[in-house]
Amino acid sequence: MQSKIFGGAVCAAIFSTAAAEACSRALYIGEDGTNVTVRSMDWRNEPSTDLWVFPRGLERRGAVGDRSLTWTSRYGSVVASAFDAAAVDGLNEEGLAANLLYLTGSDYPDLDAHEGDAVAVSAWTQYMLEMFATVDEAVAAMRADPRCSSQPA
């Protein structure tokens, strides 16, 4: 318990004194195997956060037009939204948490350079929460999918 408190205090101190212009994350790994993660949401404008609750079984689309991946949610979730457009933080009914980091200067792969359907950055957190129960499942699925590579197919 002391390592959790210490880790949280260290991370809070870092974030309270650092000026940032992008969402950031810090991870403390304690000697007893305890992990404490903190993050910031450094938006230029107020993101107007709302809490959304989604049941399992919803028919979903990846928000990229005709090439949107479609799925039926396997797990229900509770998420915090930003700008009434994207799930940025959430937790599903199995306990999987997902947090979206965004950096304006990021270079995303060209959709036209890849075959198959896609998921927009704004829908990624929701897709992960609705389709996977564990981190291992999510990582395995992303590694197996060539569309998750930054290189053209």
Side-chain angles (χ1 to χ4, degrees):
M1 181 64 174
Q2 287 179 331
S3 65
K4 289 181 185 178
I5 294 170
F6 174 74
V10 168
C11 292
I14 291 169
F15 278 106
S16 67
T17 59
E21 294 185 16
C23 298
S24 306
R25 173 164 296 144
L27 172 65
Y28 168 79
I29 301 174
E31 292 179 18
D32 63 355
T34 299
N35 295 325
V36 177
T37 304
V38 297
R39 66 169 314 202
S40 67
M41 296 275 290
D42 302 312
W43 295 99
R44 201 173 285 265
N45 301 317
E46 170 60 42
S48 303
T49 303
D50 290 313
L51 292 179
W52 296 341
V53 178
F54 296 107
R56 71 179 86 108
L58 291 177
E59 299 295 322
R60 309 288 264 168
R61 295 184 53 77
V64 292
D66 293 340
R67 298 247 331 257
S68 291
L69 179 71
T70 60
W71 69 92
T72 301
S73 60
R74 295 179 187 153
Y75 305 102
S77 61
V78 176
V79 299
S81 68
F83 304 106
D84 200 30
V88 293
D89 292 294
L91 183 69
N92 74 14
E93 64 186 89
E94 294 296 315
L96 179 67
N99 310 103
L100 183 68
L101 295 177
Y102 181 80
L103 177 63
T104 303
S106 296
D107 184 21
Y108 294 99
D110 180 6
L111 183 60
D112 294 330
H114 295 271
E115 292 184 19
D117 297 332
V119 175
V121 172
S122 61
W124 181 88
T125 301
Q126 200 62 52
Y127 175 75
M128 300 305 283
L129 292 172
E130 292 180 348
M131 297 305 294
F132 306 106
T134 67
V135 171
D136 288 341
E137 278 183 25
V139 169
M142 295 299 100
R143 285 186 176 153
D145 191 332
R147 295 171 295 184
C148 295
S149 168
S150 61
Q151 302 302 314

